[in-house]
Amino acid sequence: MRVLVTGGAGYIGSHTVLQLLVANHSVLIADDFSNAKPSAVTRLEELAGQSIPVCRVDLTDEAATLALFDDAIAGGQPIEAVIHFAGFKAVGESVAKPLAYYRNNLDTTFSVLRAMDVHGVRQFVFSSSATVYGENPVRERTEDMPTYATSPYGWTKVMVEQVLRDLAVADDSWRIALLRYFNPVGAHASGRIGEDPSGLPNNLMPFVAQVAVGRREKLAVFGDDYDTVDGTGVRDYIHVEDLAAGHVAALERIGLRDDALSVWNLGSGHPESVLEVVAAFARASGREIPYEVVPRRPGDVDAYWANPSKANRELGWSATRTIDEMCADTWRWQSQNPNGYPD
Ligand code: UFG
């Protein structure tokens, strides 16, 4: 299939692009490079051994998005499916800038869906998040739980999911996948592509990696008085390569299904605490990870993880990489690229 990958130069997008190419799909990347570097695409091309078409576009611009689809037809390679990664993703920033988050994450989706509608493209894979489960007391999340959010970022995911559900009801020729990611970490085994957060990392794994490489002095552990194995927060970490494989599996499966819309958790199902991740990273890197326990981070949930059995069963997919492999691959990327991608 010819697949438009929005946000294809970003962290999860880039790993998915590579796996799509390996699976013999053809790819068009659309990215505004607001949170990604062009050198990520250069490296992708090196790894793939082929050039990859890239369009720098602001997808909130409906006319520009429509033109992307028209140009693909004019070039003899019409877009047949879309994987929509593009979006703002920092929870804390979304609280400070709600309008920017609602505008960007909703408008990009509307533009893409409208362009798809105009051109009769019906296969759509959406980057959703486990954040849509809100604060359910049941820690193991299943797809049938109610959705709710605790941040503007989270609400954009809940809202887009609802838009897609309504679309699937209105027209059952759509084939839509909502992929709810748990905590993506790790990097491609080559160490050439990985997560490159701008500024201070919000997430645990990139922060730990920057401490290990000497860019930061110590990790702040946000609370050790939760009702968990060691008092620290518990999450389901999933290797980005497993996550990318989940996208390829979903893309290849939706066209064969009767359902206009399918929801799948993409997680490992294995909970890990903050201190367990720190210990695994110290083992993988051979470096000490200094840390200090500080008060809880407002808005954090104590513990949750995926029940991935629906994706295992319906996609024939499962996350296979262990936390040690996630840390080893993160470390390879971080130690080979201490300052992330070159400008
Ligand atoms: N943590 C620390 N110190 C840090 C960063 C994180 O102790 O510097 C802890 C957090 O308190 C939490 C765990 O590490 O217990 C994981 O935190 P992350 O920030 O890495 O991930 P979250 O689970 O908070 O956030 C992730 C995604 C969001 C998504 C959210 C809810 O990054 O996009 O899950 O599903 F919204």
Side-chain angles (χ1 to χ4, degrees), residues 89-91 129-132 151 153-154 181-185 201-208 219-223 226 232-235 237 274 296-297 300-302 304:
K89 62 173 185 179
V91 176
S129 165
T131 199
V132 303
S151 70
Y153 160 78
Y181 313 157
F182 283 70
N183 288 58
V185 297
N202 298 303
N203 297 115
L204 178 64
M205 187 67 86
F207 205 107
V208 169
L219 170 74
V221 174
F222 299 140
Y226 288 112
T232 64
V234 162
R235 297 289 185 273
Y237 296 91
V274 173
R296 295 178 177 190
R297 182 169 63 179
D300 264 356
V301 175
D302 53 0
Y304 65 89

